[in-house]
Amino acid sequence: QSTVQLYGLVDLSAGRYQDPGAKSMTKMQPGGMTTSYWGLRGKEDLGGGLSAVFAAEGFFLADTGASGRFNGDAFFARNAYVGLSSASLGTVQLGRNTTLLFVSTIVYNAFGDSYTFSPTVRHVFLPSAITAPVTGDSGWSDSVLYTSPKLGGFKASVLAAAGEKVGHRNVSAGLNYDVGNFSAVAVYQDVEKDISTALKVDDTRTWQLGATYDFGVVKVFAQHTQVENRSVAGSPKSKLSDVSAAIPLGNGKVLAAYGLLNRPGSADQKTFSLGYDYFLSKRTDVYVAAMSDKDEAKATYTTAKSYGVGIRHRF
Amino acid sequence: QSTVQLYGLVDLSAGRYQDPGAKSMTKMQPGGMTTSYWGLRGKEDLGGGLSAVFAAEGFFLADTGASGRFNGDAFFARNAYVGLSSASLGTVQLGRNTTLLFVSTIVYNAFGDSYTFSPTVRHVFLPSAITAPVTGDSGWSDSVLYTSPKLGGFKASVLAAAGEKVGHRNVSAGLNYDVGNFSAVAVYQDVEKDISTALKVDDTRTWQLGATYDFGVVKVFAQHTQVENRSVAGSPKSKLSDVSAAIPLGNGKVLAAYGLLNRPGSADQKTFSLGYDYFLSKRTDVYVAAMSDKDEAKATYTTAKSYGVGIRHRF
Amino acid sequence: QSTVQLYGLVDLSAGRYQDPGAKSMTKMQPGGMTTSYWGLRGKEDLGGGLSAVFAAEGFFLADTGASGRFNGDAFFARNAYVGLSSASLGTVQLGRNTTLLFVSTIVYNAFGDSYTFSPTVRHVFLPSAITAPVTGDSGWSDSVLYTSPKLGGFKASVLAAAGEKVGHRNVSAGLNYDVGNFSAVAVYQDVEKDISTALKVDDTRTWQLGATYDFGVVKVFAQHTQVENRSVAGSPKSKLSDVSAAIPLGNGKVLAAYGLLNRPGSADQKTFSLGYDYFLSKRTDVYVAAMSDKDEAKATYTTAKSYGVGIRHRF
């Protein structure tokens, strides 16, 4: 009992929000910077460098108090795993694991995991905003995740999810490299199992490269993603690019990001975000951000404009 | 992690329960005195008198273990907010906040927040029991709550909820006054947004005045509520009055309450409750209560009689 | 706040799983040994040997993160009660309580509460696997549980659930005897209220006898159950027998179990399981198990074969 941790994050913003092709709305927006969640986790020392690990984490929407990210989302959809971790051999986690692609997408851009303001998170993961989405959600059920120990700055990961007659299995592999102020990642994933009805394709192969360098006066991020939609003839490939920066200023950071979604056979989506994130403490920050989201494939409201102020608290 | 609190309350009673117009049932009644809940909350000292605050609290029915107050209730429907609190400037909370009207209704009557035995809670908030209910639930999603610091016994509060195309916005304001053994409240609310399908009206304006005085041998409570239903012609006004008392006796209190619901163009509802609440400790009490609930608008079972025994435990 | 405990268990296995009459599937199986759960509980000392007790515990499926054992299961379906416990007079719990029959079934067999590998748990409680199931679930809502103190090795329990117009009331009684290395139980239950639509009968009377003796080199278990289905003509009686053993070996135990389900007017089901459960610590174990599940009433896939490896962690 003494070993279990109870933790989470609450993030709420208010402002004017708009998606391309739709009218704007003045509203309270949950998760302006990070989707709110709470969870239980623990690590038990088994001796000899071995530990047992577990986590059960669920999302919630702090504007209404609803659990999950959407109606019907699993209660512990963020993570639900149990596994063994060895200092020398790496970690194995069984259950529902966050995907390597989601982690690389959010780590290698200045707006992190913001579905509201991060161009790359919106382009890669937001089903309603794009026509060539990555399939398979940001977490995979029925999966096994292996993460190697760090070796000379390198860390490798493999994730596989059983098909279980919903479809075929999913597989993913990633390589991280960290040295000094530089960090880079390469991730591949093949999704052939997707139970989401909100997404239009169910067989995608995705590559992503990301890198970041911290110059001190500015931390720069870049990532490039290619999504091959193998469920339609010709297997068209979407190309997604994102550059961003975080510039320390006072107790906070100026955040800027530009993302380009190049769709095969259709017009581009070009998204630019600018914000300032001020830290009241390590655990609590307030932020203001604005985004211009131009989808040239839309007939009306081509350029959506959003802006909001919010507060994020970790517990 | 060390700062988050895990807390709640479990309340169950058993007895014979009846609503006007319906047959009685012998059953286990969850939340005889207080609707059961559990939650997470925290307060982080940010220095300079400023704190970050958050809460995520969900109701549950302890007789079946179901979450929420009813099927489809949001998981953290009791409260889900994040905000900033200043000793000198007051507190701002964003998210889902308990309404000022609900707080004033339960504080200024002897049976507190009992949906089972409190005449005023049943008259003001129970949708199935009355024909002119307050709309908008006891908590508002998408809302901002501001609470002032205390100034010479006075405290002011403002609550507003964004319409978000479900309807128009909701607004509420309240003023509390506390001095010695006397306490009083005035609350106004205008609801134009109501997603509840159980309620029949969607545009109500409500005034409430409440007061209490503790004489030592008895604490007396009184409240008066007026609900204007603006969704029908003529905007009829219901008038709800409640007087109640708590009389210390042994380690407990005798509770008595009378509530009158005066409906425009229809017969009255008159509800009388009597109980004894015995405290085994500060955190645990057992109670016995009986209620006569006479709704003169019903053709059969006009006078419903309920009685039960229960236990309530805070953790 | 300091008194509430946060605890639970995560169990996941992977392998090939099959039910009689169906094809096998390679998959991740949640709860290979124990259905995963988490919960809150507390005990408050009220003085004079009296305590207040409560629990709110929910199941979850760690392969997907979904709450409950199945879609629509109550959130705190494992336990949701509040009560009083006296060292001399026994314990009373109101709410949703685990049944006496479920506890006796899982304590008196070597595979415990495994719905995946325990023959008796599958025969007595798995609705899809058998034609004469016990009705009423493993927990009863709207119930009162009384458990006596231990007297000369004996302990008695009574459980009753209000019908609440879903059906008639349920009642159950049990007697436990423990002395030295020997332990035995007798349980009776009469279910006349069953809201489960997955089950085919709604009026069953069940007797169960169970015993275990720990010889040191081997702990042997035996149990016999008779289920009378009173919802069909003639009230046919199913007879379920189970013998099992746990043999300490290294830091683990070899587990073996055989269960026979004798159905009136139909063919038998014969289930044999063998496993090895290795404890990495008191709180964490890894296991491998195989089961042959022969249902002679099935036309195809009469003998189902399952095997898997898993990990279980208590927190």
Side-chain angles (χ1 to χ4, degrees), chain A residues 22-85:
Chain A
K23 286 188 182 178
S24 70
M25 198 193 294
T26 300
K27 63 170 187 164
M28 196 150 288
Q29 171 84 350
M33 279 292 177
T34 298
T35 307
S36 300
Y37 69 93
W38 74 284
L40 314 171
R41 72 181 161 212
K43 187 168 185 169
E44 181 198 12
D45 186 352
L46 299 170
L50 194 68
S51 301
V53 294
F54 87 95
E57 301 174 345
F59 295 107
F60 68 97
L61 304 176
D63 58 339
T64 62
S67 66
R69 297 162 293 174
F70 47 82
N71 272 340
D73 199 14
F75 190 81
F76 290 124
R78 194 174 194 266
N79 272 307
Y81 62 77
V82 58
L84 293 172
S85 181

Side-chain angles (χ1 to χ4, degrees), chain A residues 44 76 80 94-96 142 164, chain C residues 12 27-28 62-63 65 281 284:
Chain A
E44 181 198 12
F76 290 124
L94 277 72
R96 183 172 170 89
D142 316 306
E164 301 200 359
Chain C
L12 265 181
K27 64 169 186 164
M28 196 150 287
D63 57 340
S281 74
T284 305

Side-chain angles (χ1 to χ4, degrees), chain A residues 202-216:
Chain A
D202 53 19
D203 183 359
T204 60
R205 293 190 185 173
T206 305
W207 268 101
Q208 188 179 81
L209 299 172
T212 182
Y213 191 89
D214 192 345
F215 291 95

Side-chain angles (χ1 to χ4, degrees), chain B residues 12 27-28 62-63 65 281 284, chain C residues 3 44 76 80 94-95 142 164:
Chain B
L12 264 181
K27 64 169 187 164
M28 196 151 287
D63 57 340
S281 74
T284 305
Chain C
T3 57
E44 182 198 11
F76 291 124
L94 277 71
D142 316 306
E164 301 200 359

